[in-house]
Amino acid sequence: MCGPGLEMLEIMMEDNNLTKKQKEELEKLQKEIVDEAKKVVENYVDNPSNISGSTISIHQNSPFLDTDENNEPRHSGSRWTKVIKTKI
């Protein structure tokens, strides 16, 4: 088991001051958390994200999106091939 939340549940379950009913409730919650985490992992395996973990944001008024009189980008190069300026 991993994660601070689950570690806290384990510590609480070791507490001798808890009633049997409280320990059973904690075990039920722990199982629900683990089951939900497994579903998240399975979903990610079946539907991997297209995001690499980092994103780049460029404001809509950025000069990097400007075009010249021929509607060609003022800034070019391989770093800018994915940048698109949409007109509203």
Side-chain angles (χ1 to χ4, degrees):
M1 197 172 323
C2 63
L6 292 176
E7 289 174 7
M8 184 58 93
L9 282 175
E10 286 180 338
I11 292 169
M12 290 172 70
M13 289 188 332
E14 293 171 2
D15 185 352
N16 291 329
N17 295 327
L18 295 177
T19 66
K20 183 178 179 180
K21 184 176 180 178
Q22 289 172 324
K23 288 184 180 185
E24 288 172 354
E25 182 66 22
L26 284 174
E27 287 175 5
K28 179 183 170 191
L29 290 171
Q30 181 181 18
K31 183 181 180 329
E32 288 178 20
I33 291 169
V34 170
D35 290 345
E36 197 62 34
K38 287 178 181 178
K39 287 179 188 177
V40 169
V41 171
E42 289 170 5
N43 183 17
Y44 184 80
V45 169
D46 294 339
N47 306 298
S49 172
N50 291 332
I51 299 175
S52 68
S54 61
T55 59
I56 297 171
S57 298
I58 299 176
H59 190 273
Q60 65 190 13
N61 295 329
S62 170
F64 292 111
L65 300 177
D66 289 345
T67 56
D68 64 14
E69 59 278 351
N70 296 324
N71 207 24
E72 294 292 324
R74 290 192 188 276
H75 302 278
S76 62
S78 62
R79 294 177 31 190
W80 300 105
T81 57
K82 304 291 184 208
V83 177
I84 300 172
K85 183 176 182 178
T86 56
K87 295 182 180 181
I88 299 176

